[in-house]
Amino acid sequence: MATVLLLASRQPERMMSWLGALAGAMAVSGVVLLACDRIRRWVGDSVVAAVEKLMGLVLTAVAVEMILAGLKHYFFGTD
């Protein structure tokens, strides 16, 4: 949702595209959440643990990038 808000603020003329993308992402997330038990049985616990660690690393990288961008904007006033 934060991504859609950011994109919509930068390109408001494409609001319907961003909302469609958000709806699609929410639908895929919902399907994955509803099928999570079957997915876990199918891929196995070790694969699920590896994906969890990978997604944690990706989330950390995105958070660090956002913090650095915020600090750059705060101290230097540029994008």
Side-chain angles (χ1 to χ4, degrees):
M1 287 178 63
T3 302
V4 171
L5 288 172
L6 177 65
L7 291 171
S9 69
R10 291 187 180 182
Q11 296 178 339
E13 67 278 359
R14 295 187 62 196
M15 179 66 79
M16 294 311 292
S17 297
W18 304 134
L19 290 176
L22 177 62
M26 289 175 67
V28 169
S29 296
V31 168
V32 168
L33 288 173
L34 290 172
C36 66
D37 288 331
R38 277 186 254 151
I39 293 171
R40 183 186 271 292
R41 280 194 311 256
W42 184 59
V43 298
D45 289 336
S46 60
V47 173
V48 171
V51 170
E52 286 175 355
K53 290 178 182 179
L54 179 64
M55 290 299 109
L57 183 64
V58 169
L59 181 61
T60 302
V62 170
V64 168
E65 182 181 352
M66 291 176 83
I67 289 171
L68 291 175
L71 289 173
K72 179 181 175 186
H73 183 71
Y74 180 76
F75 287 113
F76 300 112
T78 60
D79 287 328

